[in-house]
Amino acid sequence: MTSISDNKRVAKNTLVLYFRMLFMMLIGLYTSRINLQSLGVEDFGIYNVVGGIVVMFSIINGSITASISRFLTFEIGTGNIEKLKKVFSTSVTIQISISLVILLLAETIGLWFLNNKMVISESRIYAANWVYQFSIMTFILNLISMPYNACIVAHEKMSAFAWITIYDAIAKLLIAWLTFISPMDKLIFYAGFIVLIAFTQRMIYTSYCLHNFEECHYKFIIDKKLLKEMSGFAGWNFIGASSAILRDTGGNIVINLFCGPTVNAARAIADRVNSAVLGFSNSFMTALNPQITKSYASGDHSNMINIIYKGAKFSFFLMLLLGLPVIIESEYIINLWLGQIPNHTVSFVQLTILYAMSESISGPLITAMLATGKIKNYQIVVGGLQMLNFPISYICLRLGYIPETVMIVAIILSQCCFAARIYMLKSIINLNIINYLRNVYFRILFTLMIAFILPITAKNFTDNTLQNFFFIICVSLISACTSILYIGCNNNERKFIFSNILNLKNKIFKQKNDSNN
């Protein structure tokens, strides 16, 4: 009975987050178009790479944030309200302390790197410094909000989470329009108003949590045992957080050093497209992750394994369903969306989505590992593999390889990390590797290969017209759906999907008949 209730809650939360992502995707893509037009290719690239320097200093915070989310969700699963209060207050204290450390690093090492090593034209270095300072403020405001965000997700209040993030998307669209008509330096104007959005969002998160969650009333306490426990977890998680930052932001900086800000703009556009597609898969995992942690906390390991299997499959299928049409028609979509295509943009978009597909399989595995708290060896091995992204990419670009090599390296290492994760989870949660590969990984791989055949064939026999564009999109969706249903899903999963479609159809017809009567 509990499992059925949990499944319904996951389904409801996923649906809420999907509507949120659909809305945010449309607004986000349109906002990026306006930003590119108002800022220009060079300033658009500068904003993304300069902000990335600040993100580099979030290595410390990344490890702590994962620790906060894990401990909050775990204590909700155990039902210990007093321990939950201590975890929250300790989390806020830690985030404030980290903010001060990051501020010190950013204003010394980061400022020196920006002005002495970054490839930015002399005429724009003044604006870049303003962007840098505003980015620090934005980052710190978002950092302090993390315990409040984590509480909303841990309590599975996804409707509130959705509304707050929708506000963020609408506000950024408004700022993009104001930037377009602003008489002052557009790059400085845009970065300054982003700080204002971060501040108001911080106030909304705090107010909601104070009114809805008992544990969110902050008190300055120092629980040495809890602090040691969370710090120990975060200490090992530091390796994984730093490797992820080196992979993403480090890749952007390497591209800037060898290729300049215009290629950074191409990578930034690819990231925008990928975020729109990845958001749907992430919505599913955001709804699912608390269930994995709570199942482990309550000792229901069989349910946790079941969620891991289904989570990996359906997270990938959602990525395939949305990513396949974008990969096939990426050039036409970008041209229709932006009206201009910076060099390397199309290939970056295609490779970035393939990378996101590769990573989507690992999402439930990562959550399961964090839920156990046994992450020392895991972070050494997987974090070590991810850290190879930065030096390998640097060497490849120094040897003269194309900028896209950065993403190709990331995809290869992503698969190596996946292999390491399932091998290590075998001994930690008794994950059956053979069973997992047979029922999840190989089904996913075969589904991916079959899904690509029909749309690629159709694309080769059609021209780039609007009519053919919609035709290819339809072919891609049909091919993806068919492959997912009849290759990716087993009999029980197919029956579950068809029964839910039938139930939805019956509800719609019933509502229609009731309204007519």
Side-chain angles (χ1 to χ4, degrees), residues 485-487 489-499:
L485 283 171
Y486 294 100
I487 298 172
C489 295
N490 57 37
N491 289 330
N492 291 332
E493 289 164 345
R494 255 193 314 276
K495 288 177 183 177
F496 177 78
I497 291 170
F498 286 138
S499 66

Side-chain angles (χ1 to χ4, degrees), residues 315-331:
S315 179
F316 178 86
F317 292 156
L318 288 168
M319 276 298 303
L320 177 62
L321 193 63
L322 294 161
L324 180 60
V326 177
I327 291 174
I328 301 297
E329 283 290 353
S330 53
E331 184 174 359

Side-chain angles (χ1 to χ4, degrees), residues 326 328-338 341 346 459 463-470:
V326 177
I328 301 297
E329 283 290 353
S330 53
E331 184 174 359
Y332 196 92
I333 290 170
I334 296 166
N335 191 45
L336 191 69
W337 167 36
L338 298 175
I341 306 178
V346 173
K459 178 66 177 175
D463 299 322
N464 285 327
T465 64
L466 185 61
Q467 183 179 358
N468 287 335
F469 166 73
F470 284 112

Side-chain angles (χ1 to χ4, degrees), residues 325-361:
V326 177
I327 291 174
I328 301 297
E329 283 290 353
S330 53
E331 184 174 359
Y332 196 92
I333 290 170
I334 296 166
N335 191 45
L336 191 69
W337 167 36
L338 298 175
Q340 58 179 311
I341 306 178
N343 293 335
H344 305 282
T345 302
V346 173
S347 51
F348 265 122
V349 166
Q350 293 169 336
L351 288 169
T352 302
I353 291 177
L354 286 173
Y355 170 75
M357 287 182 178
S358 175
E359 284 290 282
S360 67
I361 310 171

